[in-house]
Amino acid sequence: KKPAPAPYDAKAKKTEAPAANPLFEKRARNFSIGNAIQPQRDVSRFVKWPKYIRLQRQRKILLQRLKVPPAIAQFGRTLDKNTALQLFKLAVKYKPEDKSQKKDRLKKMAEEKAAGKTDSTFKKPFVLKYGINHITTLIEQKKTQLVVIAHDVDPVELVIFLPALCRKMDVPYCIVKGKARLGQLVHKKTATAVAFTNIKNEDKNEFAKLIEAIKANFNDRYEENRRHWGGGIMGIKHQHAEDQHRKAIAKEEAKKLG
């Protein structure tokens, strides 16, 4: 019998390592105790984080895992970035007056009145309306042209009814990222929602285009959003296990058919 062939050619020459440059001396570092300093590593995984950080991380994961009813899940679907940018650019023009601006305007109005002018040039400007109770009343009276709701209001019960109310009263509405961004528009830390009631003539074309895009994304898709649950996103390990389970079932089915 012939012996089995060798797995590799025994006569093959070993590849010679390139000659080391004599100018550069190799100095291997020893990382044992008391020798070279250990290289920096990302040890954030091993840090004992403060309790409030652990809680907020666990809360975020829980919100991903649990199934979320459609009424709450709709707040996860916000206005796209470009449309939101246009909306906020327009909203900046309608910022409410601060105390000093209002004082100056009222002072000038009083001066005009004292001078005998009947038609004042310093009338109250068109501004954004805010405050959840005030906005609700305006929607019920059909005095709003657009309602902008924050996506991260806590507790969500404060604004959960607004989309349904806007649809019932046929008022355009949209959900945008950031109660803090809405708060900046009205000189507050945060704002649950803001509403446009009147629009200047020069902004009407731009506003009409915005309303068209917003209605297509929110008012017209209300019924569709009512059927979509949120959450139910499992971890990466669970997803891999599910994939393997699905493949095993498919394999068994293929065997039965074959």
Side-chain angles (χ1 to χ4, degrees):
K1 284 183 179 180
K2 282 186 178 180
Y8 58 90
D9 188 3
K11 291 177 184 177
K13 288 182 180 179
K14 289 182 180 179
T15 53
E16 289 182 9
N21 191 332
L23 294 174
F24 299 101
E25 187 186 339
K26 188 180 179 182
R27 287 196 290 264
R29 284 191 291 174
N30 179 10
F31 291 118
S32 60
I33 294 168
N35 292 297
I37 295 167
Q38 294 278 343
Q40 278 195 339
R41 294 187 185 90
D42 180 17
V43 291
S44 59
R45 187 176 170 82
F46 310 103
V47 172
K48 187 173 182 184
W49 294 98
K51 194 171 183 181
Y52 80 96
I53 291 177
R54 279 178 294 170
L55 279 172
Q56 67 192 17
R57 287 177 180 176
Q58 287 164 356
R59 181 174 178 269
K60 188 186 175 186
I61 296 296
L62 263 180
L63 289 174
Q64 286 177 348
R65 301 283 184 271
L66 298 172
K67 283 195 172 181
V68 182
I72 297 172
Q74 67 181 331
F75 288 93
R77 291 183 278 275
T78 53
L79 195 64
D80 65 275
K81 196 175 178 181
N82 292 332
T83 317
L85 193 67
Q86 290 172 7
L87 176 65
F88 278 98
K89 274 184 181 175
L90 182 66
V92 166
K93 297 179 186 177
Y94 293 86
K95 266 190 173 185
E97 301 168 302
D98 57 27
K99 282 184 179 179
S100 60
Q101 288 171 335
K102 189 175 181 181
K103 190 178 177 182
D104 290 344
R105 181 174 61 81
L106 292 174
K107 191 178 178 183
K108 284 169 185 174
M109 270 181 76
E111 284 170 3
E112 282 187 349
K113 199 174 180 182
K117 284 187 181 179
T118 51
D119 191 23
S120 176
T121 52
F122 297 100
K123 286 180 181 176
K124 190 177 179 182
F126 297 151
V127 294
L128 293 169
K129 306 294 179 186
Y130 61 99
I132 197 70
N133 291 336
H134 184 35
I135 287 172
T136 306
T137 309
L138 289 171
I139 294 168
E140 286 167 350
Q141 294 170 353
K142 292 192 175 181
K143 287 183 179 177
T144 52
Q145 294 193 33
L146 173 64
V147 177
V148 184
I149 309 163
H151 87 299
D152 55 348
V153 177
D154 188 32
V156 75
E157 286 84 359
L158 291 172
V159 290
I160 202 168
F161 64 91
L162 271 183
L165 181 65
C166 288
R167 186 176 176 273
K168 188 184 176 185
M169 305 308 287
D170 197 27
V171 171
Y173 75 93
C174 66
I175 296 163
V176 296
K177 282 191 176 177
K179 57 187 178 183
R181 283 174 84 192
L182 293 185
Q184 281 180 338
L185 295 173
V186 292
H187 310 297
K188 300 281 178 191
K189 282 184 182 177
T190 58
T192 51
V194 298
F196 289 86
T197 49
N198 294 300
I199 300 296
K200 296 170 188 171
N201 288 332
E202 62 264 27
D203 296 326
K204 280 187 177 175
N205 286 339
E206 189 185 343
F207 188 71
K209 286 175 187 173
L210 268 176
I211 291 290
E212 195 180 326
I214 286 165
K215 272 194 167 184
N217 282 328
F218 290 91
N219 291 60
D220 299 344
R221 293 179 65 186
Y222 181 80
E223 286 299 327
E224 184 190 329
N225 289 340
R226 269 182 67 185
R227 296 191 197 96
H228 283 102
W229 282 65
I233 301 164
M234 305 312 287
I236 195 75
K237 285 192 278 188
H238 182 276
Q239 285 175 24
H240 285 317
E242 283 287 306
D243 285 344
Q244 285 177 341
H245 184 59
R246 219 176 289 117
K247 282 173 186 174
I249 290 170
K251 206 174 184 181
E252 286 294 318
E253 288 292 327
K255 276 183 184 177
K256 284 176 187 176
L257 293 169

